[in-house]
Amino acid sequence: MQEKIIILDFGSQTTQLIARRLRELDTFCEILPYNKFPVGDDSVIGVILAGSPYSVYDPEAFKVDLSQFMGRIPVLGICYGAQFISHTLGGRVEPANSREYGRANLGFIDSESPLFKGFDSGSQVWMSHGDTITALPQGYHAIASTDNVHYAAYQADEMPVYGVQFHPEVSHSLQGTLLLRNFVVDICGGHQDWSPANFVETTVEELRKQIGKDRVILGLSGGVDSSVSAVLLNRAIGHQLTCIFVDHGMLRKDEFKNVMRDYEGLGLNVIGVDASEKFFQDLAGVKEPEKKRKIIGRDFIEVFDAEARKITDARWLAQGTIYPDRIESLNITGKVIKSHHNVGGLPEEMNLQLCEPLRWLFKDEVRRVGRQLGMPEHLISRHPFPGPGLAVRILGDITREKVRVLQEADDIFIQGLRQWGLYDQVWQAGAILLSEVRSVGVMGDERTYENPVALRAVTSSDAMTADWAHLPYDFLAQVSNEIINKVRGVNRVCYDISSKPPATIEWE
Ligand code: XMP
């Protein structure tokens, strides 16, 4: 049985970060809504109560029944979690004189407390709170203070119950990971046994049990999530897995050919479907971005569905869904939001069961698993690429010729990033064809009247926010020259210096 820590979500933005930090400590954890603690699950070795946008005094504040776990397993409250425990057990929580936000130093640390083992005196932590604990319940004592916050951390005298007012999960708490390690390893007795090797071994075993002799189909996109899912399934059930890779004609230059070769090299049973003619026909004359997306989505399902139906005895549809796609998190209205990417839309009568082998993994863990499976690095570390492909990077309607022009420019940009050692420093990069704009230029003695291309490269950690990448001028100069000299139809290159927000990563 895989031991785990439960993180109860009270709606804070940083709850996912706690999970990420624990995973970095090779510890398996699950985020659950505050009222869904799995009573009776023996694999739970500790529980963390996370932050919340509410004050404990708000009538709508989220409340949890502490008796479900307190006294049975170790408990750590963070920010609201710490206030909630204190408030519920008879301590006092009051509005702070001023909202405390930012860096603070732990002037006092109780060196006897296992939570602070190895801490430096004056260790920097990150505070973000409006309320503060002004009295602890009976049987509790302070284990750390800052200049402004007397009860910056506390623990119970007789039970493994701890609270911290600061946020150990954010990187500005310089020894935050050490605190979480002390909690998970020393206090909860965790074994730090969540590793890519362990994950591969147990998942392969589970997949064999789950699937038996059935057949499985999986839609490949060339992206890391679907590729790692396929290789994992291939290891578990071999050629009972059929992968389908649809070429809509708007992939990068030679992408379909190259990725098919990679997949075949990995021993995958993969059917490549060139459906580009259908997509180009259906997109003819369509300019509006959302319409393009809808047509591509619909056509994709039609093509995938037609292929999948040929595998008449398929029982399972595998998907590359990862953990952030599935985390149910609470927003401040108290409603549960569930965002779930689905390749699907496959007709219900096909009656396929879903198989999502990466459903517990964060993106960086997917990459670690891919490496563990021996996949080539260029497949694992490739940039994200939108499902509709270059269609959302050609402003205006789409033709084969425009796609060809953009593929050439994009290829020069991406190869350049690789040659200059910049590819892995950016989250995502690509070229955009401004096909409805024309400008005058001069080449040799000839006047040109052609389209500009915009280059876009961003840094990001999750695509929710992004900054434009500050690429070296020399690099941009070389790429710009090469594109204008080599790509017929382009006579001007711009570099996009907008961040997200307010811009988005893609132009459409
Ligand atoms: P935006 O443009 O919203 O992009 O800042 C955020 C991330 O999502 C990708 N993206 C898409 N991916 N289908 C996809 O599969 C889409 O329609 C789509 N639109 C944007 C984008 O490439 C970036 O990584």
Side-chain angles (χ1 to χ4, degrees), residues 47 115 227 277 312 340 401 439 491:
V47 57
L115 195 62
S227 303
E277 199 46 44
T312 49
H340 194 141
E401 176 56 13
S439 77
N491 67 348

Side-chain angles (χ1 to χ4, degrees), residues 332-396:
I332 45 173
T333 62
K335 295 207 177 87
V336 172
I337 310 166
K338 187 165 189 180
S339 65
H340 194 141
H341 289 303
N342 231 328
V343 175
L346 280 190
E348 299 226 319
E349 79 264 19
M350 284 190 75
N351 223 352
L352 295 171
Q353 300 184 69
L354 265 192
C355 168
E356 298 175 319
L358 308 181
R359 66 193 179 282
W360 292 112
L361 303 191
F362 287 104
K363 194 85 177 179
D364 53 316
E365 294 177 310
V366 174
R367 294 200 160 108
R368 284 168 65 195
V369 166
R371 289 189 187 104
Q372 177 70 32
L373 289 164
M375 292 171 64
E377 190 58 33
H378 67 268
L379 257 190
I380 292 171
S381 59
R382 64 177 39 202
H383 292 162
F385 186 69
L390 301 181
V392 291
R393 294 184 181 169
I394 294 172
L395 308 197

Side-chain angles (χ1 to χ4, degrees), residues 5 40 68 123 157 191 339 371 376 392 404 425 481 487:
I5 300 278
Q68 295 175 103
S123 188
D157 304 340
H191 293 90
S339 65
R371 289 189 187 104
V392 291
R404 187 201 61 77
Q425 290 177 29
N481 261 343
V487 185

Side-chain angles (χ1 to χ4, degrees), residues 391-450:
V392 291
R393 294 184 181 169
I394 294 172
L395 308 197
D397 65 329
I398 293 161
T399 63
R400 277 194 189 268
E401 176 56 13
K402 288 183 187 177
V403 170
R404 187 201 61 77
V405 169
L406 183 55
Q407 280 177 337
E408 294 300 329
D410 177 75
D411 191 53
I412 291 170
F413 186 32
I414 299 297
Q415 296 310 329
L417 285 168
R418 288 194 189 282
Q419 283 154 14
W420 283 61
L422 297 165
Y423 185 86
D424 292 327
Q425 290 177 29
V426 303
W427 164 269
Q428 194 169 357
I432 297 101
L433 183 66
L434 313 188
S435 72
E436 305 215 308
V437 177
R438 287 207 287 175
S439 77
V440 174
V442 56
M443 275 192 107
D445 292 331
E446 298 229 345
R447 175 188 188 272
T448 59
Y449 190 47
E450 295 177 329

Side-chain angles (χ1 to χ4, degrees), residues 293 384-388 392-393 427-428 463 500 503-508:
R293 272 203 173 73
F385 186 69
V392 291
R393 294 184 181 169
W427 164 269
Q428 194 169 357
K500 172 183 180 178
T504 51
I505 295 176
E506 303 296 343
W507 277 43
E508 283 198 340

Side-chain angles (χ1 to χ4, degrees), residues 240-251:
Q240 283 164 252
L241 171 71
T242 306
C243 303
I244 300 169
F245 182 18
V246 177
D247 181 6
H248 53 33
M250 281 151 285
L251 297 171

Side-chain angles (χ1 to χ4, degrees), residues 119-186:
F119 258 61
D120 302 327
S121 73
S123 188
Q124 178 183 300
V125 294
W126 188 259
M127 294 281 188
S128 172
H129 58 115
D131 287 350
T132 193
I133 299 167
T134 52
L136 290 176
Q138 258 198 345
Y140 284 72
H141 63 276
I143 51 173
S145 309
T146 67
D147 283 350
N148 292 329
V149 183
H150 182 61
Y151 300 111
Y154 65 74
Q155 80 179 53
D157 304 340
E158 307 286 348
M159 282 185 293
V161 177
Y162 299 81
V164 291
Q165 182 57 73
F166 54 88
H167 287 269
E169 69 277 19
V170 307
S171 56
H172 304 291
S173 288
L174 298 182
Q175 293 186 294
T177 303
L178 175 62
L179 185 144
L180 291 171
R181 185 223 156 267
N182 288 344
F183 178 69
V184 165
V185 179
D186 295 342

